[in-house]
Each structure stands twice: as structure tokens, then as C-alpha cells.
Amino acid sequence: MAGKQAGMAAGGKAVGGKVGGGSRLWVQGLVCGTVIAVAAPSVLLVAVLGLPGLLALLFDREPGRPIARNVLLFGAAVAMPSLAALWHAGRDWAACLDLLSDVGRVATAWALQAGGWLVGELAPLAVRAGMEATAAAQAARLRARRARYEEEWGLPPAPETGEPAAKG
Amino acid sequence: MALPASDPPPPAAAATDRLIGDAYAVDTSRPLPGAGGGLAAFAASDRRSGRGDLMAVQVRANLPPRAQALNVLSMGLGDGVLTPLAHGPVALPGSGAGGGAGQAWFVICQAPPGPALWPPSAGHRPWAEAELLERLVRPAAQALEWLQSRHVTHRAIRPDNLFRAGPGDPVTLGCAWAAPPALLQPAVFEPPYSAMCLPAGRGPGTIADDVYALGVVLLTLALGRVPLAGMDDLAVVRRKLEVGSYAALAGEERLPSAIADLVRGMLAEDPEHRPPPALLADPAAARSRRVAARPPRRAQQPLAMPVGPVWNARTLAHAIATDPEQGVRLLRNGEVDRWLRRNVGDPTLAVRLDDAVRQRGIDADAEDGQADALLALRSVALLDPLAPVTWRGLAVWPDGLGPALAAALPAGQPGGGRDAAARDGALAEMLAAEAIGAWAAARPERGDPTMLTADAHQLRATVRLRGWGGGTARLRYTLNPLLPCASPGLAGRMVVRLGDLLPALEAAAARPDAHRVLPIDAEIGAFLAARHETRVETELARLLEPRSTEHAALVQLRLLAWLQQRQRIAELPNLAAWLGEHTRAALSVWRQRQRRAQLGEALGEFIRAGQLPAMLAVLEDPALLAADARGAREATLAVQTIDRELAAIATGGPARAESARRLGQDVVLGVGLSAMAVAAIAAILA
């Protein structure tokens, strides 16, 4: 029952995302309330395991909340086995507390979410490094071509513009 | 009147035989004083035939020999005249590879059979009538007849240029071919219309002028002295014009009647009234020939002119020719008109002069000085139809214009000076005003004005040509086929024909100091234009375009390469090096460095080989140059594209950062979604 409520809560959130304005808030609240009422153990389990994601959702102010989105995605992936275990154990408070008392489970869930956050931070840097390297290589090729033209046709050298590819 | 002194012989030099035309040797160590008719003469011999009775007459600088006479007379020996055999340049003693004294032009002709008639070795003894007729008049007339049959005049008949082997032998006319016609004739031996000219501008004239000179010689030998001796040339001319040549020269002298009649006919004022040489060969017949010539009208009162009182129209013409400013003043204020009507009694002439004065008003669109000069010229021609062309105090015959221009080399040129420059300027102005045409139109009864007007028009066109291919410099060479190029860059070498130019430049190029300037200067340009074909003119005009030195060098290379090709001269390494120094910079027009280097190497090879056409081909290949320019344009465009791309890379950092951020987040999103999907499937399947 609790697991069902949690799944409904997740579905309600997804539905709530498509509803705009104040009515969307009411709908979300209604859905969340319904989910909490129907599947409170599942909601608790998801809330505890996905706590870093919820905190990120609270503090991420960027448009589209990319950090929170990544952390939540990883949190959701981590929570799936525990939620499945809760549902198999009857979806009651005892099973929920039993699962939450497993410190290793909670720590693993939070660590993976931290990893998700870290990946979300590092991935743009890595991509940018790759793009800069590509640009620098292209600039080098262009400069070499230009040098050949200068040498062959006696054209004036390019004005000093610094290292175009390395900066910016 | 003293006869002209001969050129002094050059300093004693080692006996050196020098050849003209691979046949005639000139021994400059053996001068023949008095044999050259006023010019330096040396012993010469014919190496082929072994003939030794020849002489070489040295041509003076800027006074070219008579090309037409040399061409015609070299074909056969005449009797009674020293005929030319050959002519050409000879290196003077002391000249060598370094230049030195350079070359001189010599005319080879027969040596005189004996001493000149003047000064007489046995004192001034008058010749007997028979000797005069048989030993002077008859042989000289036969020689003149021979010359006339070849359309050549002598124009140097005077006692010091007549020779004979000994007393009783017939006279021989001396050499008259190594200088412009009548150049050295004293005024007393020339008709007044010739004597008043610039010495070099008297022109070949007609055989009647030779008859006149022979008449004066006849008179001189009959008297035993030169008539009017001691008078200056101007006074001699005025005297002849005033009283007539015979009266002026013979005066009250007592002459044998046969001689007096002969001399009177030979000294007739009008050349058409003088006996022709064929008639003179029979003195008795010539004596009997009488032509009734109307004596000039003498005024009752003279007209006062600065040169002296004027008594008839011819002396007035001479006075105006001598002092045109004063003459024009008197013409315009009507004094001449009144004098002609009241004192001379010639209203017809006065009317014609009045027309000339009115014509001056029509010429007023020209500057005043030129209009006045034209008025003076027309007035002189009207007053004395026998007079030559007169311009600003100068007088010249149209066919003597070439030597007159040569003698008037501008200041700074060898032989030139301030007076010469002034003469050159006056002659140039005369040609530009088409004065010869105006002169011919004013005396139509004395010549074909149509032909002379056309000639004047052509001369004017040449004088007004811009650049090195025009002006009086070009005319100087056009009208004097044997005038050597006066360029100082030729280092004394005689360049007379176009074929002489490249060897002379090659020799001059051996001197490193010559390389400071380009080979062709204004004089060589004028020489080229005169001895050329039409295509040279365009290139010569380009030399004056205000562009770079290498452009001028390239134009000169084009000209000289054309000459080398045309004359089939195998190699000119010195000249090629000279031009190479100035044309190497022209390689800079090539943009592709590798090709430029290759062309530089090729140019160096052709310079060493002395191949001017090949050098030109290297420097001027229109197809390759166009391809090079096209390649340079394409390279420039490519570099501009590269610069734009580099600038885009340099300024594209923020855009790349944004892209990287989005792309990174998308990647992480994808990974997260994948992980969630895997976990969900695993949970469902568990």
C-alpha cells in the first residue's frame, strides 16, 4: 500500500509538472497528500533514501535545476531496489523501518547521489576540455596553413591576437 | 680675306696602321698638311690593292660628312676631283680598353696630286689667260660636269682646296666630302645667299654655286690675290648685295676681257644665269653666253638701319635678316613701305610687304616674338627671293638644316656651348613655327612650296614629339645619317649606324662606373628613334613616364633585346650585367617566392650568357605573370578566410563553454535516466 502510494506520489509529481500556476501547486499538494495517505511507508523510504536529491531540489536555483535533476535521477535509481524490497515485504511501517535501519543501504544511496552530483559537475568540464582541445588543434592547423601561404606568397604575418584557441 | 687654316695635326703618335672597311689603313703618324681642304688629313693606303696614294680626312666632331655624296661617289673614280673611296671609324692613338682618346671618323679618298694652289709657293703671281682657261676652268668644269651627272655638288672650291702636280698641270678639285657642304668656304667664295647662312647650314646647294666659287677662284688667280681680303664676312656679303658680286669682287680691276666676261657670267647673282659646267668646259662658248639680268633698283636715298645704310631691296632683306627686331619695327611703322614707294620706286614690292605685315596680324594668335619672326622671314623672302630661310638672326637653307642642327648641339654635349644651345633653341622654334613652309610660300617662283610645306609640317611634327623619340635631337640624327651618337655614355666610340650601338654599349659596360645610370640616355634615345623602326617610338615615350627605375630599366632592356635579336649578336655579357643590375628589382613583381627565386637564378644564367632577349623573356612572361597574380589573389583570399576562422576560434570561448555545459548536463541526464531504467527493470524482475 505504501509502495503504491509512493508510486502515485512520483506519478503525481510528473503530472504536476505539466500543470501551471497556482492550480498546479494545489494539484501537486493533493497528489502528494493522497500518496502520503495511501503509501506513507513507501514515501518515507523514498524521502529518506532520496534526501540529498530533495535537498538539492531545495538549493538548486538554476533554470531547469540540472543539479537537482541529476541527483534525483541517481537517487531514484538507488531507491528502486529498496522500494521493490519494501513492496515485497508488505509495504508496512515495520518493513520500512527495517530497511531504513540499514545504515549501509542509506549510506550507499546517499553516496551514489553524491556521485551523481559529482558527475553532473564534472561532465561539462570534461566536455569543455575536449572542445577546447579540438579548437586548439584546428587553430594550429589554420596557423600552419597561413604560415605556408606567408612563406610561399610573401604575405604579411597575422596581427598579434594572443592564443585564440586556448583562451575564452 | 684669309683662307681658313687647316686643322692642326694631332699630337705625334706611334706609327699605327688602322683599317677602314678591312682594306684602308690610316697612318695617323703621317699627317698631310693642307691636303684635307681645311680638315686634318693623314696618309692612307689600300691593303688589298697596295695602292698608297690615298689620304684619310678626319671628320670634325658634330660636323658630319656628306652621306649622299659619299654613297654616290664611292661607286667610281672621277677625273679632276678627289673622289671618296670609303669612310668609317678608326681608333685614335692612345685609345684602348679604358676609353682614352676614343675613335674618329675618316673619309678615305685619293691624295692630292700635288700642293694646293694657295698659298702659292712661288709668290702671288697672276696666272696667264691661257693657263687659267686650260688648266683651271676647263678641268674644273669637266669635274663639275661629272659631279652634276651624279647629282652631287662640290661646295668646297677655293684656292687652298685645288691641287695640281706642278705648273702646267690641270687642277684637281679637293676633298669636299668629310664636312657639311661649304662649311669652310670663306664668304668671298660663296654667293651672298649662301655666305649669310650658318656655316654648317649652307646645304649642298646647286652646281651653280660651285660655278660661282670657281668664278671667284678664277678671279683670284687672275689677280694674284684674294679679292676683298681683310673684310669680315658680313661686310663681304653686304658689299656683294649692294653692288653685285662681280662689281664687288672685280671692281675696277683690269682683267683680260675673256676672263672678265667669263667671271661676270660665273658670278651672276641669279644661279640660273650662271653658265652650266658643260658650257664652261668650252670657255669660248661660255664667254659668249650673255644673260640679260635686270640690275637691282637703287634707292635715291638710303634707309638707315643699324647695320648701315641700305640702298636696295636685297641689302634691306639682309639687314632685316641680320637684325630682325629693328627690321620688324620699321616694317610695322610703315617706314619700309614709304622708302620702297618713294625712294626705290617699287610699289609692287611695297604692296606685297604690306600684305606680309597684315599677315602678321593673322599670326597674332602665336606669341608676339614668333609672329614678328615670321614677318621678318616673309619680308626677307619677298625682298630677296634668293635669300635663305632666316629666323631670329640665323640663316639656313632647308637642305642644310641637318648639319646646322648637328653643329648646334646643346650645352653640356661635346662640342656644345651656350651659343650652340641658343642656336639649337632658335632652330627648334623655327621648325615648330613651320617657318620653312612660310618661306617657301613667300617665294613660289623659286621652288615648289607644296613639297617644302609638307616637309615643314613633318619636321614640326617631329620637333613636337614628346620624349626621347622627338625634338631637335631626333631631327639631328634623322637629317644627318652619318652623325655619330653624342651620348657621353659611349665613352668616345663612334656610333653612326644602328649596328654600332650595341658593340659600343658593350664596350662602355666594361667600365664599372658606367653602371650607375641606365645605358640609354636622351641622346641614345634620339639616335634610336632616328635610325629605327616605328615601334621604338612607343617604348621611348614610355621611358619618360614617371614610374620606377626598374620600369625604365625594363623598357630599355626591351629595346636593347630587340636590337640584339634583330642584329643577331651572339652575346653581350657586359651589357647584360649592366641591365641586370637595374632590372633585378623588377623580379619583385613576382609574388610567388619560389618562382621568384627560380627566375632570379635563370636571370643570372642569362646575364652571364649575355642574352638580352632571354632576360626579357624571364622578366616579361605575360601568361606566367597573370597566373602568378591570380595565385597571389587566391592566396590572399585564403589567408583572409583563415584569419576569420582563427578570429572565430579566438572569440568562441564563451560559446564553447555554454555548449560544453549543456552537453555535459545532457550526458549526465542520459546516464541518470539509463541508471534509473536499469534499476526499475531490475526491481520489477526481482
Side-chain angles (χ1 to χ4, degrees), chain B residues 67-76 84 146-147 149-152:
Chain B
Q68 193 252 346
L70 289 171
N71 288 340
V72 171
L73 300 181
S74 299
M75 297 173 188
W146 182 80
L147 290 174
S149 68
R150 281 153 181 77
H151 306 287
V152 173

Side-chain angles (χ1 to χ4, degrees), chain A residues 105-122:
Chain A
R105 182 182 297 273
V106 174
T108 302
W110 287 6
L112 283 174
Q113 288 176 78
W117 169 78
L118 192 61
V119 168
E121 289 298 310
L122 291 178

Side-chain angles (χ1 to χ4, degrees), chain A residues 13 28 32 50-73 113 117:
Chain A
K13 187 173 183 65
Q28 284 176 345
C32 284
L51 185 63
L54 295 174
L55 289 175
L57 197 62
L58 190 64
F59 291 107
D60 189 1
R61 293 300 176 194
E62 278 191 57
R65 297 179 176 174
I67 296 171
R69 187 182 62 196
N70 294 335
V71 174
L72 282 172
L73 277 172
Q113 288 176 78
W117 169 78

Side-chain angles (χ1 to χ4, degrees), chain B residues 481-503:
Chain B
L482 292 180
L483 181 69
C485 181
S487 168
L490 297 174
R493 286 182 69 99
M494 304 290 282
V495 175
V496 170
R497 292 172 288 249
L498 200 55
D500 303 330
L501 181 61
L502 286 185

Side-chain angles (χ1 to χ4, degrees), chain B residues 338-392:
Chain B
R338 284 191 293 276
W339 180 76
L340 283 172
R341 290 177 192 275
R342 293 177 188 171
N343 291 303
V344 182
D346 194 342
T348 310
L349 188 56
V351 167
R352 296 179 70 188
L353 275 181
D354 196 39
D355 289 343
V357 173
R358 275 201 295 274
Q359 176 72 29
R360 191 241 177 248
I362 298 170
D363 293 337
D365 55 334
E367 56 181 286
D368 270 2
Q370 189 170 306
D372 284 348
L374 278 169
L375 171 59
L377 173 136
R378 288 194 184 101
S379 304
V380 170
L382 290 170
L383 288 164
D384 182 6
L386 293 174
V389 182
T390 57
W391 190 265
R392 295 194 187 278

Side-chain angles (χ1 to χ4, degrees), chain A residues 62 66 69-70 73 76-77 80 84 88 119-120 123-124 127-128 131-132 139 142 146 149 151-155 164-165 167-168, chain B residues 591-593 628 631-632 635 638-639 642-643 645-646 649-650 653-654 656-657 660-661 663-665 668-669 673 675-676 679 683 686:
Chain A
E62 278 191 57
R69 187 182 62 196
N70 294 335
L73 277 172
M80 283 293 177
H88 286 301
V119 168
V127 170
R128 186 179 176 190
M131 291 175 79
E132 292 295 348
L142 289 171
R146 195 186 200 289
Y149 278 120
E151 172 64 24
E152 186 177 0
W153 295 97
L155 298 171
K167 292 182 181 176
Chain B
R591 302 290 301 276
Q592 197 174 18
R593 285 181 169 175
D628 182 78
V639 163
I642 289 172
D643 285 346
E645 289 180 20
L646 283 172
I649 291 172
R656 281 195 303 278
R661 191 181 64 78
L663 184 60
Q665 287 171 356
V668 174
L669 178 63
L673 286 171
M676 195 178 70

